[in-house]
Amino acid sequence: MGRDTKRSASGIDAALVRRLRRNQYTGAVVNLAPSAFWLGVFFLAPLAVMFLFSFGQRGAFGEVLLAPENLGLQQYREFFIPDDRSLIGGLWVTIAWAIEAIVPFELSLTSGQATPYVRLLFKSIGYGVVATVVSLVVGYPMAYYLGHLAPERYQNLLVVLVILPFWASFLVRIYAIQLLLSANSVLMNALAVLPGIGADVSLMNSRFAVLLGLVYIWIPFMILPVYASIEEIDFTYREAAMDLGADRLEAFVHVVFPLSKPGVMAGSVLVFIPSAGAYVIPELLGGTDSQMIGNLIADQFGSAGNWPLGAAASFVLMGVMLLSIAAYQRGGGELA
Amino acid sequence: MSGVLGRIRSGLFKRGTGILLGQTALVYLFLYIPIVVLVTLSFNDSRYAIVWQGFTTEWYAALLSGETVARVDPNAAWAALSNSVEIAAASVIISTVFGTMLAFALDRYEFPGKRLFTGVVFMPIIIPSIVMGISLLLFFNIVGMQLSIRTAVIGHVAFGISFVAVVVAARLQNFDRTLEEAAMDLGANELETFRYVTLPVIKPGVLAGALLAFAMSFDDYVVTFFIIGQENTLPIYFFGMVRQGISPGVNVIAALIVVSTMVLVGIAQWFQGPTW
């Protein structure tokens, strides 16, 4: 009797197991569940909390007010709209200011100025763009050499030499830059050969230092994807182009470069995103005039004590990053 | 005029390989000179750490015997290092297991909302660490979790999973699934198939993912700073030292970190082939 029920119970178990194993979703659920749980609870939920905070208000003692009557777009308004303006007027001033800043010639569309937050956001994007362009201009020729011209015996070694610094400690490498840019360093003594520069000059705490740090840290992220796509190019296309009368430059511009474009785009996104969102590099290498949006966020959650504004700034920054990824995907790029 | 330019241009291209070689060499110098200078200055016989005064190993000797050199206390550094290793080891184990399973699910199965879910998996890699760190801090505050090494591990797993999943998924794309079918036809169940067929093939990918997760955890300053409370990790300790300025003690610690990580990673790359 007892044995019978036991057997039938295990029979039901076996049937259940068999049905579960046949079900198309079982494998997916089992494999997804741990990560979905972890990312849901310890990544998305915290972001949701922060998102909620970005609609809150700062109380008199720096606390965050989240009661329904306090919720609103006021932090985003403070971020984007200059004090004394209406919504439309403020938007116009911001856009006009941005156009004035971007066009290379003198143009006066507005007497007003964008909010300090918007100016900081633009500056951060500018740093990101400059770091990306410099990395591309410096990194592309090197990637071309590694991917196409380097003797095959040394190719792996040369690539590993690009990868190694990327694995070595980030903070230590920033400190190394600091050692070079400080007054009386080896570099400054070398530069003192030039007229008008003394060895006791320090290049630290400047925009130059921040940009140099960004390029130094992120340039492997440009070199490696470009190298990977150049290595895959079938260079007989280039020969074909030259047989058909293209000179070397034309063959490069019309054949080789377009074929390497996936690597260039991937590298640009990989350099731009961490550069625009940098926090440690401007903190350690920059001065008061070279802080970025990441520092603003940290300040709002620290000494400035306006958490809702910091939360709003975080989401504005992430919006910029999503836009750059969207642009990348529109251009035909794929994630990973 | 254009003839002259053309000749200059073709001349440039003719020496192209040489020019590119030179440019490549310059970039290597750019990447390595700061590190070489750093390591050299750690042997500098000067309290003011930046101007070269001669070779000495006194700073190393002092720190290794437990003496404090210019505010740098080797015991605090050791404690920070052991915290770092503990956090990295714990988070690598969890994120490698979960991340590999995740990569499988993304490679093998179609399910509703897959595109969106894949986007979420990429997000921890993409979003600025400062945002991730602060949002975790707010979250831990709200749910009332005491900040400690444990909360740091939780945060590190949250980005580690993504790094592992991306690396392993790339390997799985080239995996020949008929191997698995053959194993199943021969009577292996799912777990046996995974253990004896799939895992040996994708092992390099899993190892590479684990290595990346370890490096990201070990090296992380920003996220950890917000979620570890009063504890130190090596990057947090180092950041505090750098904030106080250049000193022989910091030089020694920095040189030890950079040389040991580069040697370890160099060995790993030697055995695995270039991995990034």
Side-chain angles (χ1 to χ4, degrees):
Chain A
M1 172 75 195
R3 267 179 63 191
D4 265 14
T5 32
K6 216 175 182 181
R7 191 180 299 154
S8 68
S10 72
I12 291 168
D13 278 359
L16 186 68
V17 166
R18 216 175 306 128
R19 263 179 60 194
L20 276 176
R21 274 169 69 174
R22 289 227 180 98
N23 189 302
Q24 53 165 337
Y25 286 126
T26 305
V29 168
V30 168
N31 281 311
L32 282 178
S35 304
F37 167 77
W38 207 286
L39 290 176
V41 175
F42 298 119
F43 178 68
L44 289 182
L47 281 182
V49 170
M50 202 179 197
F51 195 53
L52 178 66
F53 273 34
S54 76
F55 296 104
Q57 255 174 3
R58 177 168 63 159
F61 308 104
E63 78 276 26
V64 181
L65 304 176
L66 289 172
E69 71 269 20
N70 296 321
L71 294 181
L73 287 169
Q74 58 272 19
Q75 301 304 337
Y76 293 95
R77 199 188 154 88
E78 182 172 352
F79 193 99
F80 284 110
I81 312 293
D83 271 345
D84 47 340
R85 312 256 172 182
S86 67
L87 189 64
I88 305 292
L91 280 180
W92 160 243
V93 168
T94 303
I95 293 167
W97 172 84
I99 295 172
E100 277 177 34
I102 289 168
V103 296
F105 45 88
E106 208 49 49
L107 186 73
S108 75
L109 292 169
T110 170
S111 56
Q113 243 197 343
T115 63
Y117 311 115
V118 170
R119 277 182 277 157
L120 201 57
L121 179 68
F122 265 78
K123 203 166 81 175
S124 303
I125 295 173
Y127 279 31
V129 170
V130 173
T132 307
V133 171
V134 172
S135 300
L136 179 62
V137 171
V138 175
Y140 194 96
M142 180 185 194
Y144 187 89
Y145 181 82
L146 295 182
H148 180 53
L149 299 170
E152 215 155 296
R153 290 180 53 200
Y154 300 114
Q155 206 175 23
N156 275 356
L157 176 69
L158 290 173
V159 172
V160 167
L161 282 176
V162 178
I163 300 169
L164 268 189
F166 150 68
W167 291 87
S169 169
F170 171 83
L171 285 176
V172 169
R173 293 170 64 220
I174 297 294
Y175 178 69
I177 291 285
Q178 206 169 328
L179 283 178
L180 277 183
L181 295 184
S182 298
N184 297 316
S185 69
V186 198
L187 178 71
M188 296 322 294
N189 274 304
L191 287 180
V193 180
L194 301 171
I197 301 180
D200 54 349
V201 174
S202 164
L203 290 177
M204 277 292 295
N205 305 323
S206 64
R207 291 170 190 208
F208 172 77
V210 173
L211 279 170
L212 186 76
L214 291 173
V215 172
Y216 181 61
I217 294 295
W218 301 117
I219 199 172
F221 283 62
M222 178 66 83
I223 297 170
L224 294 170
V226 175
Y227 155 79
S229 62
I230 284 179
E231 208 209 1
E232 279 176 11
I233 294 176
D234 180 355
F235 273 83
T236 53
Y237 287 129
R238 178 170 169 271
E239 279 163 33
M242 292 182 70
D243 286 346
L244 291 171
D247 65 19
R248 287 184 168 96
L249 182 67
E250 286 166 341
F252 176 76
V253 171
H254 297 293
V255 178
V256 175
F257 188 76
L259 286 172
S260 67
K261 221 179 106 192
V264 171
M265 301 218 324
S268 300
V269 173
L270 288 174
V271 174
F272 174 77
I273 286 185
S275 299
Y279 159 67
V280 170
I281 294 176
E283 188 78 13
L284 287 180
L285 298 179
T288 44
D289 74 328
S290 38
Q291 297 297 292
M292 295 171 66
I293 192 90
N295 308 92
L296 171 86
I297 295 171
D299 278 352
Q300 294 304 326
F301 283 95
S303 52
N306 190 347
W307 290 21
L309 183 62
S314 302
F315 278 90
V316 172
L317 175 60
M318 287 197 285
V320 169
M321 291 175 175
L322 283 182
L323 281 180
S324 70
I325 292 172
Y328 165 67
Q329 284 182 318
R330 273 202 96 149
E334 273 176 45
L335 286 173
Chain B
M1 185 62 196
S2 76
V4 175
L5 276 181
R7 227 173 300 144
I8 292 173
R9 207 170 79 181
S10 73
L12 273 178
F13 271 93
K14 229 171 262 162
R15 289 185 200 87
T17 306
I19 293 172
L20 286 176
L21 177 62
Q23 201 270 349
T24 303
L26 285 179
V27 178
Y28 281 122
L29 287 179
F30 171 59
L31 286 175
Y32 283 93
I33 280 183
I35 296 173
V36 171
V37 167
L38 165 73
V39 174
T40 312
L41 284 179
S42 71
F43 294 103
N44 185 8
D45 190 6
S46 156
R47 284 233 150 245
Y48 181 61
I50 239 176
V51 182
W52 184 252
Q53 300 283 359
F55 181 87
T56 181
T57 52
E58 73 170 295
W59 310 122
Y60 282 89
L63 282 171
L64 290 178
S65 66
E67 252 175 80
T68 300
V69 174
R71 299 184 310 271
V72 177
D73 174 7
N75 299 317
W78 272 119
L81 173 66
S82 82
N83 281 347
S84 282
V85 171
E86 189 185 330
I87 293 171
S91 58
V92 163
I93 292 169
I94 304 173
S95 47
T96 304
V97 175
F98 288 5
T100 305
M101 290 165 75
L102 175 61
F104 261 87
L106 292 178
D107 184 63
R108 297 290 159 89
Y109 303 103
E110 289 305 321
F111 51 90
K114 185 176 170 182
R115 270 181 65 96
L116 187 70
F117 188 79
T118 312
V120 171
V121 172
F122 275 101
M123 273 178 73
I125 302 176
I126 294 164
I127 73 166
S129 357
I130 181 119
V131 175
M132 185 155 180
I134 291 177
S135 68
L136 276 166
L137 170 67
L138 300 180
F139 175 79
F140 289 138
N141 268 339
I142 281 187
V143 300
M145 277 174 89
Q146 186 78 40
L147 296 181
S148 67
I149 288 183
R150 225 175 312 140
T151 47
V153 171
I154 289 175
H156 284 205
V157 171
F159 60 74
I161 286 177
S162 300
F163 282 108
V164 174
V166 168
V167 173
V168 176
R171 288 277 169 154
L172 281 174
Q173 274 180 356
N174 305 323
F175 179 73
D176 181 4
R177 299 222 2 222
T178 54
L179 287 175
E180 286 183 347
E181 282 160 25
M184 304 274 264
D185 287 345
L186 292 171
N189 66 26
E190 282 92 343
L191 277 179
E192 287 164 348
T193 309
F194 178 77
R195 169 70 185 80
Y196 294 109
V197 178
T198 319
L199 186 60
V201 177
I202 62 162
K203 209 162 127 198
V206 175
L207 282 178
L211 191 64
L212 184 62
F214 188 92
M216 289 299 158
S217 166
F218 191 75
D219 205 24
D220 179 76
Y221 164 71
V222 181
V223 176
T224 320
F225 174 77
F226 287 102
I227 59 174
I228 201 170
Q230 301 300 316
E231 302 284 343
N232 256 350
T233 62
L234 195 56
I236 294 177
Y237 178 75
F238 187 75
F239 188 93
M241 291 292 103
V242 172
R243 258 305 181 61
Q244 295 177 29
I246 293 164
S247 86
V250 184
N251 285 352
V252 170
I253 302 264
L256 287 175
I257 295 174
V258 83
V259 170
S260 53
T261 48
M262 284 177 70
V263 167
L264 286 178
V265 172
I267 292 170
Q269 304 261 338
W270 184 266
F271 284 113
Q272 275 220 324
T275 309
W276 71 81

